Amino acid sequence: MPSHLSADRSAPQPPERDAVDALINRALLLRGDVDAVRRDTSVIDDDDPRLRWRRALCELAVHQLDDLGEHLGQLRDGVPTPRTADAEPSEDPRRATAATPPVGSLLSRVGSAEWNLLTDEVDWSGELYQIFGRDPGKGALSLDELPSLLLAEDQPLLTSMVTDCLVDGRPIDGEFRILLPDGGMRTLHMMGEPVLDADGCTASMWAVLRDVSRLRRGQHILGRTQEALRRREQRAQAEHRMAVEFQEAVLPPRHGSVPASGRGTGGLDIAAHYLPSGARDLIGGDWYDALVLPDGRTMLTVGDLTGHGIQATSSMAMMLGALRGMAVAGVDPGALMGHLNQLIECSAQPALGSAVCCRFDPATGTLAWAQAGHPAPLLFRNGVGRPLPAPDGVLLGAASGVTYEQDHAALVPGDLLLLYTEGLTRHSDRGAGPELLLGLAPRLGQARTAQDCVRIVVEELGSAERLDDACVLAARVEA
């Protein structure tokens, strides 16, 4: 029934039809755009909370735009004319269908009611009977009977709203939940006002009730996905922080010269640098290390394990600890790689990895080294660079019982050895391979220290958008 504040107040005039039609068209276009986005999100992995949140938000937006379109349609068509009992049936089947809203449509989810305080008469629309799941033959419920259909915790709210409306003339605007005869539950939004007589006293109360169950379910799903996304982001941040702290605790300092432990410096000037990936939240399993051994030789190593986060850094810590222990025990680089491969095979967290391990003897200038599916060290001498010929060696964890070959190279004072992980030369906008580093040979030949060499590499490649984290280690043979 019409929403009026006074029984003799004239009804407002409907808006211009063309203006409402324009709004309907705009709502339809917007609805189509949102629905397209919703379809795009429906084919993506359901295990991702961020995508579930996007899909729930799209679903909610589509429902609200559907309601908006139907509301505007009602506004354009005007207040429906009540059909009298003796009216002639319509010959147009479309009109007959429109008289009974389909179940689930907006029209079937909005109903109206008026409670006359002077005559105790109650008038419910047909849609309101549908909303309450009530047989029209049983008649409408009075204001005293209505709370009996509500959930117990919502009954005081309805009582308070009705009392404020009838006694103080306040508008009704609130939500409550009702129980249906079949055991189901619906959430209703009720808006209403008192109707005053000529003396200004409350003669009746009218209200419009809307079934907002689907809307609230959508909002509930959206809230759950937002909470799941928030928890996931908090967990990711905590894991990222732990991974960074773990990595910093295991590796030598990320920047500058690598401290030499043991006796002397091993005849090498050493510096290293760690470069994070473009996605800084991805902490990988890259490592580098330099260790002066008890016999005066120096172990140099870089490597990379697959994966990111805590699992990758914990596996890296295990590998680096084993590598250090075997190097101190005097295990040759080739045999050492074989033991690392066995360690990955029996690990509770299997992975694949690449690595290179070098052992430099300052007394003879000999470099013994082995690799496991890793780029060969680059040797720079007299302003010219080249990769060392690589001995055979497959990725760590790729096969069982494999033997890793070991090769030797003679180094002279002034030589620069550059060890790096593949992430250093693999970028989204540049090719992969050692050519990028070999092209720096003239500049590296003029560098005075290992730290200067690392700085040149970082200046050239450190600012580029990289796909993975990386590290570089420079070792200069001292005179």
Side-chain angles (χ1 to χ4, degrees):
M1 64 173 296
S3 57
H4 47 278
L5 292 176
S6 178
D8 57 356
R9 183 173 178 176
S10 60
Q13 295 300 313
E16 291 293 335
R17 187 181 184 90
D18 291 343
V20 179
D21 281 335
L23 290 175
I24 292 175
N25 289 333
R26 289 166 61 184
L28 288 174
L29 291 174
L30 182 58
R31 200 267 189 204
D33 292 341
V34 175
D35 194 42
V37 176
R38 178 180 64 168
R39 288 195 300 270
D40 291 341
T41 60
S42 64
V43 297
I44 308 178
D45 187 7
D46 281 342
D47 294 334
D48 190 336
R50 186 182 299 275
L51 297 176
R52 290 203 305 270
W53 169 78
R54 288 181 57 191
R55 187 161 55 251
L57 198 58
C58 288
E59 293 280 356
L60 185 61
V62 167
H63 292 329
Q64 292 177 326
L65 287 171
D66 284 340
D67 288 352
L68 175 62
E70 294 192 48
H71 277 309
L72 292 173
Q74 285 181 302
L75 183 63
R76 176 194 59 193
D77 297 338
V79 179
T81 303
R83 184 176 174 180
T84 59
D86 57 350
E88 291 293 332
S90 172
E91 296 180 358
D92 189 345
R94 292 174 298 178
R95 292 181 177 271
T97 303
T100 305
V103 176
S105 71
L106 177 65
L107 297 180
S108 68
R109 291 184 280 118
V110 179
S112 60
E114 183 173 8
W115 291 270
N116 192 309
L117 304 183
L118 303 179
T119 64
D120 291 333
E121 292 179 352
V122 183
D123 181 21
W124 276 19
S125 68
E127 294 80 12
L128 195 57
Y129 282 102
Q130 291 184 23
I131 291 174
F132 277 85
R134 184 174 178 82
D135 183 2
K138 295 182 179 181
L141 295 176
S142 67
L143 289 174
D144 293 331
E145 297 170 328
L146 188 60
S148 63
L149 299 183
L150 275 64
L151 268 65
E153 55 265 37
D154 291 354
Q155 292 177 4
L157 172 63
L158 177 61
T159 301
S160 175
M161 289 192 303
V162 171
T163 301
D164 290 343
C165 180
L166 298 180
V167 176
D168 299 329
R170 297 180 183 175
I172 290 178
D173 189 354
E175 291 186 6
F176 51 81
R177 294 162 294 173
I178 63 171
L179 293 173
L180 302 176
D182 60 4
M185 184 179 70
R186 284 179 177 163
T187 302
L188 305 185
H189 184 196
M190 183 177 185
M191 298 183 65
E193 294 175 341
V195 180
L196 308 179
D197 59 16
D199 298 327
C201 300
T202 303
S204 62
M205 188 188 82
W206 70 269
V208 173
L209 294 94
R210 179 187 176 199
D211 179 6
V212 294
S213 305
R214 189 173 67 174
L215 177 62
R216 296 296 173 256
R217 281 195 299 269
Q219 292 173 335
H220 178 65
I221 293 173
L222 178 61
R224 286 191 306 175
T225 55
Q226 286 177 327
E227 179 62 21
L229 180 60
R230 184 187 64 82
R231 290 196 301 268
R232 178 186 175 184
E233 290 177 344
Q234 288 179 339
R235 183 169 61 251
Q237 291 174 358
E239 291 179 354
H240 175 74
R241 185 169 57 253
M242 292 175 61
V244 171
E245 293 173 354
F246 200 2
Q247 186 186 60
E248 291 177 345
V250 172
L251 295 180
R254 291 191 175 194
H255 314 292
S257 299
V258 178
S261 59
R263 302 190 306 272
T265 63
L268 296 174
D269 174 25
I270 303 170
H273 192 91
Y274 172 85
L275 298 98
S277 68
R280 291 181 174 270
D281 57 332
L282 298 179
I283 300 298
D286 288 49
W287 79 75
Y288 62 88
D289 198 16
L291 181 64
V292 178
L293 304 176
D295 59 6
R297 293 181 292 184
T298 301
M299 183 270 293
L300 306 173
T301 180
V302 296
D304 182 15
L305 290 178
T306 56
H308 297 91
I310 290 294
Q311 181 172 338
T313 52
S314 61
S315 297
M316 177 269 292
M318 175 189 69
M319 297 287 288
L320 190 54
L323 194 153
R324 288 168 174 168
M326 288 187 285
V328 170
V331 179
D332 290 335
L336 189 151
M337 286 296 174
H339 292 314
L340 289 182
N341 186 58
Q342 293 175 336
L343 180 61
I344 285 186
E345 289 180 9
C346 63
S347 173
Q349 299 176 344
L352 290 175
S354 68
V356 61
C357 181
C358 306
R359 187 178 61 195
F360 176 68
D361 187 346
T364 63
T366 302
L367 181 78
W369 72 286
Q371 62 85 28
H374 198 88
L378 303 181
L379 176 61
F380 294 86
R381 179 181 292 170
N382 299 326
V384 178
R386 63 179 178 88
L388 295 178
D392 290 339
V394 300
L395 286 170
L396 298 173
S400 302
V402 295
T403 300
Y404 291 84
E405 293 185 355
Q406 180 173 304
D407 203 357
H408 297 81
L411 303 184
V412 298
D415 282 354
L416 170 67
L417 199 65
L418 206 62
L419 281 64
Y420 64 97
T421 57
E422 281 188 311
L424 183 67
T425 58
R426 188 169 63 243
H427 304 94
S428 58
D429 60 344
R430 304 173 71 175
E435 292 77 12
L436 293 173
L437 293 170
L438 293 175
L440 300 178
R443 295 177 60 189
L444 294 174
Q446 298 176 0
R448 293 179 174 272
T449 65
Q451 182 58 46
D452 290 339
C453 295
V454 168
R455 186 177 298 110
I456 291 171
V457 172
V458 172
E459 288 175 355
E460 181 67 23
L461 301 177
S463 60
E465 184 72 14
R466 65 188 67 261
L467 303 176
D468 197 3
D469 54 351
C471 57
V472 57
L473 185 148
R476 282 177 57 92
V477 181
E478 296 178 326

